[in-house]
């Protein structure tokens, strides 16, 4: 079966648009997840009382439910309470709700990997708790958390593939539409896979690179 | 007074249909998990090979599932099968195939990690005692590897249950689709139905996954040496 | 024996219980400015805990610790202030692995004491010179040997201009040939009149450097005497037995 190049060229701009949309949603989602995750992990690390319990509940909720179900509830359920959210906002909120829990766990285990001896060492030169976090704990926690952060980023980008369910014109909805209209299944699916590879491989390699760099720079106590 | 709409969940009939939908999801997850464990152990042991070509191939297979979203795999098989066989393969079958392929890859990596995580001197001291290769595995390697394998494998099960929610995309009538049908049916007399139904499905998934992931964490903590 | 000067550290009736077990069981100790006191005793006798109670890394239940006449801790001299004047060096060096040698040394003076970076750098270089490591300022801790790391840890504490230095078994995890280079640095400090409280198992070093030896057992100080006297004729049976474990004949 010959590849229909004309078809591909004709719809390439559509694929470009859909990919860009995915990048935009994922970027916002990841950024906000990291912010939410760092805050949650610090709340847990410093054992803030009431907030800690809420954060723990949130993390369990976000990690033990699928994004798809979270999105359905956000997009079709919540508006019934009179709160209207656009599909783009929904996508970003959903991604942040999901990602925040995963990011929080990644940062938390990083924070906890910093040894007691390091804390004592920092205390013994008179650092206060903010200075401790800023200069001693966080930099070390971050380098430990990098592999998990990378995995989370890739996970979140992949999760954007369900966004078509809330009327977002992403790669999946484009694919479905084109197959339905033109039956150029081979071409459509091929471009779909290529687009996702273009999206994810660079991120994957970037984190591999960072990890390797960090391994050189760290530890060896 | 306006109807709060909660009664949509109190209907015995609705509840039974939702549970049937959930059953379909769980069935896909369960069958896939079984196949994954079986094939995953084989695949994982192959991956511990020192043969670089074999390892490279295995690795490629694993990375393919790690990089490309599962939903894309579902599309590939679903639409691809239509092309190859002229008619749609059943969504249920496609789902089980994709989840088993993915599960095998992940399960295999867990097995490989568990076997390789055992320090070399464990093997060496066993050999120094005069144990034969098979005895080394039976008494030293496998008991330790199992303790690393089980928590991670259970954790993978929750991931697979969560991911089975995707089967709605390939036309399987599972809990989400049933929910949608109930909502559409009640559109006129109960506009709040979608809030309650989706909240319910959300909670159901949580109730399903939370205890399992908690259990896996507890096992992990218990077996940590 | 040195002339008795100002009391810099006074500990009275210090008690600490950990997990229901008493670790410190009423410790009284006074250290004078310029004095070098060495604490010895069997493992688990509370030596390390004693040091950590002095700069608040461990909290005690009863008794008081006074530094320069002021009570430390709750309601008294704030720990973050006290720790600037009390330097501590640990057994496991505990340099910050993500910072260069220079950054390790400068962190406290610049961030805590808010001193100008240029001035701190100058002092740090001088101190590094003194321990023979001025050429390693741009290295990361993992590039250094154990002995070098420990000397940097000493410099890190010294750069805060402390009035009292605490040393917690600083040579215990070093290879034998590296012990000397660290002890030499400490000996130099002692000769310059630094006030030091040292927990160690290096008996020869204690003989050479200590003004006073403090023998601890089961959470209390059981013997306290001038160094030479202690090693020649310990008063208690327990101390005698302890010293004997260091000789094979």
């Amino acid at each position: 079966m010959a590849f229909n190049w004309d078809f591909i060229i004709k719809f390439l701009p559509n694929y470009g648009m859909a990919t860009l949309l995915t990048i935009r949603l994922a970027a916002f989602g990841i950024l906000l997840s990291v912010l939410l995750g760092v805050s949650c992990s610090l709340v847990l690390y410093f054992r803030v009382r009431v907030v800690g319990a809420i954060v723990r509940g949130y993390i369990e909720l976000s990690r033990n439910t699928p994004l798809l179900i979270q999105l359905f509830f956000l997009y079709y359920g919540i508006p019934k309470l009179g709160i209207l959210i656009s599909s783009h906002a929904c996508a970003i909120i959903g991604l942040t709700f999901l990602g925040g829990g995963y990011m929080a766990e990644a940062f938390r285990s990083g924070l906890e990997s910093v040894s007691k001896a390091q804390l004592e060492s920092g205390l013994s030169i008179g650092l206060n708790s903010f200075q401790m976090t800023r200069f001693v704990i966080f930099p070390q926690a971050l380098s430990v958390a990098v592999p998990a952060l990378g995995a989370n980023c890739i996970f979140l980008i992949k999760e954007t593939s369900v966004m078509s369910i809330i009327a977002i014109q992403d790669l999946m909805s484009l694919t479905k539409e084109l197959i339905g209209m033109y039956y150029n299944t081979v071409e459509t699916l091929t471009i779909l896979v290529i687009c996702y590879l273009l999206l994810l491989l660079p991120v994957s390699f970037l984190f591999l690179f960072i990890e390797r760099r960090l391994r050189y720079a760290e530890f060896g106590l | 007074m306006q109807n709060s709409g909660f009664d949509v969940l109190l209907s015995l009939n609705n509840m039974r249909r939702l549970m049937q939908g959930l059953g379909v999801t769980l069935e896909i997850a369960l069958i896939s998990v079984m196949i994954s464990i079986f094939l995953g152990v084989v695949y994982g042991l192959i991956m511990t090979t020192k043969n670089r070509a074999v390892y490279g191939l295995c690795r490629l297979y694993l990375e393919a599932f790690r990089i490309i979203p599962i939903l894309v795999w579902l599309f590939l098989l679903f639409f691809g099968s239509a092309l190859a066989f002229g008619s749609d393969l059943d969504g249920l079958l496609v789902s089980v195939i994709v989840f088993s392929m993915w599960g095998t890859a992940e399960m295999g990596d867990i097995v490989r990690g568990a076997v390789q995580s055992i320090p070399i001197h464990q093997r060496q001291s066993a050999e120094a005692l005069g144990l034969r290769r098979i005895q080394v595995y039976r008494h030293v390697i496998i008991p330790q590897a199992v303790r690393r394998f089980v928590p991670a494998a259970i954790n993978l099960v929750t991931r697979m249950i969560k991911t089975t929610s995707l089967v709605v995309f390939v036309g399987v009538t599972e809990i989400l689709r049933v929910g949608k049908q109930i909502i559409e049916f009640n559109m006129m007399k109960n506009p709040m139905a979608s809030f309650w139904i989706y909240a319910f499905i959300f909670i159901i998934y949580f109730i399903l996954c939370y205890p399992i992931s908690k259990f896996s964490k507890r096992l992990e903590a218990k077996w940590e040496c | 024996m040195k002339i008795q000067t100002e009391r810099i550290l006074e500990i009275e009736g210090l008690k600490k219980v950990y997990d229901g077990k008493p670790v410190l069981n009423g410790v009284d100790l006074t250290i004078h400015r310029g004095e070098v006191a060495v604490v010895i005793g069997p493992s688990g006798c509370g030596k390390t805990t004693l040091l950590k109670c002095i700069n608040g890394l461990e909290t005690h239940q009863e008794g008081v610790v006074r530094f320069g006449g002021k009570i430390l801790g709750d309601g008294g001299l704030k720990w973050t202030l006290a720790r600037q004047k009390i330097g501590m060096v640990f057994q496991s060096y505990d340099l910050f692995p993500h910072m260069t040698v220079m950054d390790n040394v400068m962190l406290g003076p610049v961030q805590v004491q808010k001193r100008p970076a240029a001035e701190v750098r100058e002092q740090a270089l001088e101190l590094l010179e003194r321990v023979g490591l001025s050429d390693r300022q741009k290295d990361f801790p993992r590039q250094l040997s154990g002995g070098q790391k420990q000397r940097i840890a000493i410099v890190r504490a010294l750069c805060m201009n402390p009035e009292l230095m605490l040393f917690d078994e600083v040579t215990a995890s070093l290879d034998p040939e590296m012990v000397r280079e660290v002890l030499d640095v400490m000996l130099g400090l002692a000769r310059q009149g630094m006030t030091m409280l040292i927990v160690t198992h290096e008996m020869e070093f204690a003989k050479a450097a200590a003004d006073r030896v403090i023998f601890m057992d089961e959470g209390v100080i059981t013997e306290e005497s001038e160094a030479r006297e202690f090693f020649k004729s310990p008063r208690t049976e327990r101390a005698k037995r302890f010293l004997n474990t260091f000789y094979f004949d």
Side-chain angles (χ1 to χ4, degrees):
Chain A
M1 192 176 356
F3 233 58
N4 187 342
W5 290 103
D6 292 342
F7 174 85
I8 292 177
I9 289 160
K10 186 173 167 203
F11 287 103
L12 213 52
N14 299 53
Y15 275 98
M17 296 277 281
T19 311
L20 280 179
L21 179 60
T22 304
I23 293 175
R24 227 174 42 231
L25 293 178
F28 275 112
I30 289 172
L31 190 73
L32 292 173
S33 305
V34 167
L35 290 179
L36 183 62
V38 168
S39 320
C40 288
S41 68
L42 287 174
V43 164
L44 291 182
Y45 186 72
F46 288 107
R47 298 177 206 285
V48 184
R49 234 163 255 173
V50 181
V51 191
I54 298 171
V55 164
R56 220 163 299 135
Y58 153 67
I59 291 176
E60 294 299 348
L61 214 54
S62 85
R63 288 176 61 99
N64 285 299
T65 48
L67 177 62
L68 187 64
I69 309 295
Q70 294 169 5
L71 286 175
F72 261 89
F73 183 60
L74 263 176
Y75 192 68
Y76 298 106
I78 295 279
K80 300 292 168 191
L81 300 178
I83 306 159
L84 288 174
I85 318 168
S86 77
S87 62
H88 280 63
C90 236
I92 293 170
I93 294 172
L95 217 52
T96 307
F97 179 85
L98 176 81
Y102 283 84
M103 293 295 184
E105 285 290 283
F107 282 112
R108 192 188 54 85
S109 60
L111 289 172
E112 273 166 16
S113 74
V114 179
S115 70
K116 189 164 172 260
Q118 281 289 311
L119 301 187
E120 290 190 333
S121 198
L123 286 174
S124 78
I125 55 170
L127 297 177
N128 63 32
S129 47
F130 174 75
Q131 292 165 331
M132 278 288 271
T133 312
R134 158 94 174 68
F135 296 110
V136 179
I137 303 175
F138 204 75
Q140 294 187 56
L142 192 63
S143 71
V144 172
V146 160
L149 294 182
N152 287 350
C153 287
I154 288 168
F155 167 68
L156 288 177
I157 297 173
K158 276 159 58 180
E159 286 287 303
T160 58
S161 62
V162 304
M163 294 302 180
S164 62
I165 209 85
I166 56 167
I168 283 189
Q169 293 292 314
D170 75 337
L171 288 168
M172 300 313 279
S173 71
L174 181 64
T175 302
K176 209 165 173 178
E177 213 172 287
L178 290 183
I179 291 177
M181 286 197 296
Y182 301 99
Y183 300 105
N184 284 356
T185 313
V186 177
E187 292 84 351
T188 324
L189 290 177
T190 310
I191 307 180
L192 174 68
V193 170
I194 291 174
C195 282
Y196 269 104
L197 287 178
L198 285 178
L199 212 54
L200 287 153
L201 280 177
V203 183
S204 176
F205 281 118
L206 175 71
F207 273 97
L208 221 60
F209 174 74
I210 297 175
E211 246 174 82
R212 202 156 293 164
R213 283 292 297 269
L214 275 176
R215 212 168 300 151
Y216 279 120
E218 73 174 8
F219 289 74
L221 279 168
Chain B
M1 203 182 95
Q2 224 210 317
N3 191 344
S4 78
F6 184 68
D7 52 336
V8 72
L9 287 180
L10 298 177
S11 148
L12 217 59
N13 191 38
N14 286 350
M15 196 46 81
R16 206 200 54 209
R17 288 179 57 201
L18 282 171
M19 285 302 144
Q20 274 170 354
L22 182 67
V24 173
T25 311
L26 285 181
E27 202 181 306
I28 296 172
L30 205 69
I31 297 173
S32 314
V33 166
M34 293 299 180
I35 298 174
S36 302
I37 290 178
F38 184 73
L39 294 179
V41 169
V42 177
Y43 172 70
L45 289 177
I46 294 174
M47 258 176 101
T48 61
T49 175
K50 290 195 181 69
N51 184 324
R52 300 198 108 188
V54 175
Y55 177 78
L57 269 173
C58 289
R59 187 86 213 177
L60 193 68
Y61 175 74
L62 172 67
E63 293 301 332
F65 278 94
R66 291 230 168 121
I67 285 290
I68 296 169
I70 298 303
L71 187 54
V72 174
W73 281 107
L74 281 172
F75 267 43
L76 286 180
L77 249 81
F78 190 67
F79 294 115
S81 69
L83 196 69
F85 306 119
S87 70
D88 279 3
L89 220 53
D90 181 33
L92 212 74
L93 182 61
V94 168
S95 305
V96 170
I97 295 174
V98 168
F99 284 112
S100 301
M101 285 167 69
W102 168 53
T104 301
E106 292 285 1
M107 216 48 109
D109 196 46
I110 296 172
V111 170
R112 180 201 57 78
V115 171
Q116 289 181 346
S117 73
I118 293 156
I120 186 84
H121 55 250
Q122 280 291 317
R123 183 191 298 262
Q124 285 167 347
S125 20
E127 279 165 0
L129 286 173
L131 295 184
R132 277 176 293 117
R133 198 179 141 80
I134 192 100
Q135 290 172 314
V136 173
Y137 270 90
R138 157 117 173 60
H139 297 288
V140 179
I141 309 279
I142 291 174
Q144 293 186 64
V146 162
R147 297 186 159 212
R148 298 204 167 114
F149 168 76
V150 172
I154 294 174
N155 196 39
L156 178 61
V157 171
T158 66
R159 276 172 66 200
M160 288 180 79
I161 292 176
K162 281 185 289 177
T163 315
T164 46
S165 61
L166 296 183
V167 301
V168 73
F169 278 93
V170 290
V172 176
T173 307
E174 45 65 83
I175 189 164
L176 212 48
R177 184 166 298 253
V178 172
K180 245 176 165 171
Q181 288 166 357
I182 295 175
I183 290 161
E184 271 156 27
F185 185 75
N186 289 285
M187 192 84 98
M188 289 302 142
K189 61 178 202 268
N190 190 349
M192 279 295 286
S194 65
F195 176 81
W196 292 110
I197 294 280
Y198 290 135
F200 176 74
I201 298 175
F202 183 79
I203 300 293
I204 280 286
Y205 265 98
F206 180 72
I207 293 175
L208 219 56
C209 294
Y210 177 68
I212 307 178
S213 62
K214 198 86 194 160
F215 178 59
S216 124
K217 261 190 201 151
R218 190 158 303 167
L219 272 187
E220 199 174 3
K222 190 177 143 197
W223 282 342
E224 210 170 20
C225 359
Chain C
M1 190 121 181
K2 282 183 186 166
I3 307 153
Q4 299 278 296
T5 52
E6 170 204 355
R7 297 168 167 204
I8 190 165
L9 180 75
E10 295 159 279
I11 299 171
E12 282 165 28
L14 195 67
K15 283 191 185 174
K16 174 167 180 70
V17 180
Y18 193 82
D19 262 354
K21 270 189 290 185
V23 187
L24 295 178
N25 217 347
V27 172
D28 301 292
L29 180 66
T30 304
I31 304 287
H32 295 87
R33 195 176 286 279
E35 187 181 20
V36 176
V38 167
V39 183
I40 61 173
S43 52
C45 70
K47 297 169 300 201
T48 295
T49 312
L50 176 64
L51 288 197
K52 286 185 177 173
C53 283
I54 292 170
N55 72 349
L57 293 181
E58 299 271 8
T59 51
H60 55 268
Q61 275 91 36
E62 276 179 54
V64 284
V65 180
R66 264 190 229 101
F67 180 75
K70 294 195 189 91
I71 293 181
L72 289 180
D74 295 335
L77 185 60
K78 270 184 153 174
W79 284 123
T80 46
L81 281 176
R83 286 169 187 152
Q84 294 175 34
K85 297 184 177 155
I86 306 176
M88 182 160 184
V89 186
F90 300 85
Q91 175 179 343
S92 48
Y93 343 121
D94 301 312
L95 295 177
F96 304 123
H98 57 297
M99 295 180 183
T100 61
V101 164
M102 191 45 109
D103 289 341
N104 261 282
V105 175
M106 288 178 62
L107 180 65
V110 172
Q111 294 301 331
V112 179
Q113 298 179 321
K114 310 285 180 206
R115 284 157 55 193
E119 173 208 309
V120 175
R121 187 181 300 276
E122 206 171 305
Q123 188 193 358
L125 270 175
E126 207 174 289
L127 289 167
L128 287 173
E129 184 82 47
R130 221 159 82 191
V131 301
L133 290 170
S134 53
D135 55 330
R136 309 307 294 265
Q137 51 165 316
K138 291 201 178 77
D139 288 0
F140 279 92
R142 68 180 164 82
Q143 295 165 298
L144 305 175
S145 73
Q148 290 171 328
K149 274 187 254 190
Q150 197 57 293
R151 283 184 279 158
I152 300 295
I154 294 174
V155 168
R156 182 175 67 179
L158 284 178
C159 206
M160 305 280 292
N161 296 320
E163 294 174 30
L164 167 68
M165 285 284 284
L166 309 174
F167 293 87
D168 183 17
E169 302 201 28
V170 292
T171 56
S173 45
L174 292 179
D175 289 338
E177 69 265 34
M178 289 171 186
V179 169
R180 188 57 195 255
E181 64 191 51
V182 173
L183 293 182
D184 278 342
V185 169
M186 290 166 68
L187 214 53
L189 280 177
R191 298 222 169 96
Q192 280 166 20
M194 172 61 77
T195 317
M196 312 204 298
L197 186 56
I198 303 166
V199 169
T200 187
H201 285 300
E202 300 290 338
M203 293 305 143
E204 292 304 321
F205 169 74
K207 268 184 215 168
D211 297 316
R212 186 155 51 117
V213 171
I214 294 148
F215 184 76
M216 278 184 79
D217 191 24
E218 296 185 346
V220 287
I221 294 175
T222 54
E223 191 167 340
E224 220 187 314
S225 43
E226 206 212 331
R228 213 169 317 145
E229 198 183 300
F230 176 84
F231 286 108
K232 207 162 62 189
S233 51
R235 286 195 299 268
T236 57
E237 199 48 42
R238 185 71 187 86
K240 232 175 251 169
R241 260 191 293 135
F242 178 75
L243 283 181
N244 274 337
T245 58
F246 289 90
Y247 304 103
F248 288 98
D249 43 39

